[in-house]
Amino acid sequence: MSLPPLVEPAAELTVDEIRRYSRHLIIPDVGVEGQKRLKNARVLCVGAGGLGSPALMYLAAAGVGTLGIIDFDTVDESNLQRQIIHGVSDVGRSKAESAAASIREINPLVKVEIHNTALDRDNVREIFSQYDLIVDGTDNFATRYMVNDAAVLLGKPYVWGSIYRFDGQASVFWAEHGPCYRCLYPEPPPPGMVPSCAEGGVLGVLCASIGSIQVNEAIKLLAGIGEPLVGGLMVYDALEMSYRKIKVRKDPDCVLCGENPTVTDLLEDYEDFCGAVSVEAQEAVVDSTITALELKEWQDAGKDIFLVDVREPAEYEIVRIPGATLIPKGEIISGEALSRLPQDRQIVLHCKSGVRSAEALAALKAAGFRDAVHVQGGVLSWIKQIDPALPAY
């Protein structure tokens, strides 16, 4: 459906702006009026990573007058495969600062506002209220639900995107005119069911495909042209090179934007709502957790342990803890791998950060392996505390 422009036009375009945006100005649907609206717009990008990189670059090139960036992370070498707004010289630098510098190179006419902080319940309302439109480039469910809830409560539209391996999705959520994220996903998936990009990987160029769709939708909303993806979900399969548009209806029973909402304020704890680990895993790790330092001590002392890496084969190929045997978490939870586990040795599980190993530990405890333990912090803790020379990923 067509929607009215989100922002009023600026008073005028300068000579420099007319030259710079000439290819926009000659498009009848955009023209001078549309470009003035872009100039007058304030857009916040949540995250300067995989999706935030192309989104920020093209929003800047398009002439969005004010761009906000919120990101508390620093640039890591593993980011450079897909986060193209950063370069080698930016490794170790604040992502928000690095992205801002790249934007100034692309378009010095754009004003950049940096929020070098983590988005949380205490600051999300204040930050979002400064902008006309939110572009969501987050990669975890807790932040996605918080972004959605804050946008709905403030009456803000936002453009959402999601990427994983070769698949991507994008939509526009605006409760005033259509569904919100909770209408599409009322509940987060069970912990560990949907791996993050850090766990499952992502094709670098997929970020550009979905990020550019997000910018396209942002421009349409700001200028009031075309038919935005309100009420539509675009699904992209890079391997098959296929796009599917799925209709998404507003849920009258939505707890946030439905006819009788029960969620009328931000949740106290979005991490708890999304569940870092299941209740079973939380119970399983009690008195069954060791540190990376303890694991190293056990190995050096010659303790008879069976060390199990529950990550995926591709992760195991990148970096591994010496002596570990690869048995992916799915094979443990399904019971397929139980016969391969020794009954007479201490089983020690680990993953990348400790979440998947906790879930696998719960499955082992339920299967009778009462003495099994897992390594808190997983490979990341091993690298930090034991062997910093190993490659991070």
Side-chain angles (χ1 to χ4, degrees):
M1 63 178 149
S2 298
L3 294 172
L6 191 57
V7 296
E8 294 297 317
E12 62 179 4
L13 296 178
T14 66
V15 173
D16 288 342
E17 288 168 336
I18 291 172
R19 272 200 301 265
R20 177 178 285 268
Y21 308 126
S22 62
R23 298 304 187 273
H24 273 180
L25 303 182
I26 59 177
I27 302 174
D29 289 345
V30 180
V32 173
E33 189 78 358
Q35 193 64 47
K36 285 181 179 179
R37 294 185 192 279
L38 296 181
K39 177 180 179 178
N40 206 31
R42 296 177 57 84
V43 176
L44 174 69
C45 191
V46 183
L51 291 175
S53 288
L56 285 166
M57 294 168 76
Y58 269 107
L59 287 167
V64 171
T66 301
L67 280 177
I69 309 169
I70 180 163
D71 200 312
F72 69 97
D73 200 5
T74 56
V75 180
D76 182 81
E77 187 176 16
S78 65
N79 301 149
L80 303 182
Q81 162 258 8
R82 63 200 178 281
Q83 299 180 18
I84 58 172
I85 204 166
H86 313 296
V88 173
S89 62
D90 296 312
V91 171
R93 187 182 185 187
S94 154
K95 282 187 179 180
E97 296 283 354
S98 169
S102 296
I103 288 170
R104 294 184 186 108
E105 281 293 310
I106 293 170
N107 190 348
L109 303 179
V110 171
K111 180 182 178 183
V112 183
E113 295 182 351
I114 296 173
H115 305 276
N116 197 356
T117 184
L119 191 69
D120 58 33
R121 188 184 191 279
D122 296 328
N123 63 22
V124 64
R125 285 179 183 268
E126 188 272 329
I127 292 174
F128 277 19
S129 64
Q130 302 173 40
Y131 297 91
D132 303 304
L133 177 67
I134 315 299
V135 175
D136 182 12
T138 57
D139 62 356
N140 66 87
F141 288 103
T143 309
R144 285 174 184 167
Y145 278 96
M146 182 174 61
V147 167
N148 177 78
D149 294 359
V152 172
L153 294 171
L154 292 170
K156 303 278 184 180
Y158 77 99
V159 186
W160 170 79
S162 175
I163 50 176
Y164 177 67
R165 291 186 175 169
F166 297 96
D167 301 317
Q169 300 178 3
S171 189
V172 173
F173 296 113
W174 194 356
E176 184 179 334
H177 298 283
C180 77
Y181 183 75
R182 284 180 182 264
C183 295
L184 181 61
Y185 299 112
E187 298 287 340
M193 177 173 286
V194 181
S196 67
C197 290
E199 296 169 348
V202 61
L203 186 69
V205 73
L206 183 68
C207 302
S209 300
I210 301 302
S212 62
I213 290 175
Q214 290 181 279
V215 175
N216 186 63
E217 294 306 304
I219 290 173
K220 287 156 62 179
L221 288 166
L222 296 169
I225 59 177
E227 295 191 5
L229 268 175
V230 175
L233 175 68
M234 186 62 71
V235 180
Y236 173 55
D237 183 327
L239 284 181
E240 294 185 359
M241 189 46 66
S242 65
Y243 286 90
R244 290 185 298 129
K245 186 176 179 181
I246 302 171
K247 193 166 187 177
V248 181
R249 298 185 182 278
K250 190 178 186 70
D251 182 2
D253 297 321
C254 176
V255 297
L256 183 68
C257 73
E259 296 172 0
N260 298 292
T262 56
V263 176
T264 57
D265 197 358
L266 297 173
L267 303 184
E268 288 294 332
D269 191 334
Y270 282 89
E271 293 287 348
D272 182 61
F273 170 66
C274 292
V277 293
S278 67
V279 174
E280 293 79 10
Q282 292 178 38
E283 295 173 349
V285 301
V286 175
D287 298 325
S288 296
T289 299
I290 65 171
T291 66
L293 288 172
E294 288 176 305
L295 172 60
K296 185 66 165 63
E297 290 172 358
W298 285 7
Q299 290 179 325
D300 292 344
K303 185 171 181 175
D304 190 19
I305 64 173
F306 187 68
L307 182 60
V308 179
D309 187 333
V310 304
R311 298 175 300 157
E312 294 301 310
E315 296 175 272
Y316 185 77
E317 289 300 316
I318 295 172
V319 60
R320 68 193 71 166
I321 296 177
T325 297
L326 176 67
I327 304 179
K329 181 193 76 173
E331 295 181 18
I332 293 176
I333 290 179
S334 69
E336 177 185 346
L338 295 181
S339 62
R340 295 157 53 191
L341 298 175
Q343 298 280 349
D344 57 348
R345 298 172 67 186
Q346 172 87 61
I347 295 175
V348 180
L349 307 173
H350 82 81
C351 61
K352 180 178 181 178
S353 63
V355 174
R356 284 175 284 176
S357 59
E359 298 291 345
L361 180 64
L364 284 190
K365 296 271 189 181
F369 292 84
R370 301 296 181 185
D371 295 330
V373 298
H374 90 127
V375 181
Q376 183 179 29
V379 171
L380 295 180
S381 288
W382 181 272
I383 293 172
K384 183 177 181 180
Q385 299 177 20
I386 309 300
D387 194 352
L390 289 175
Y393 73 107

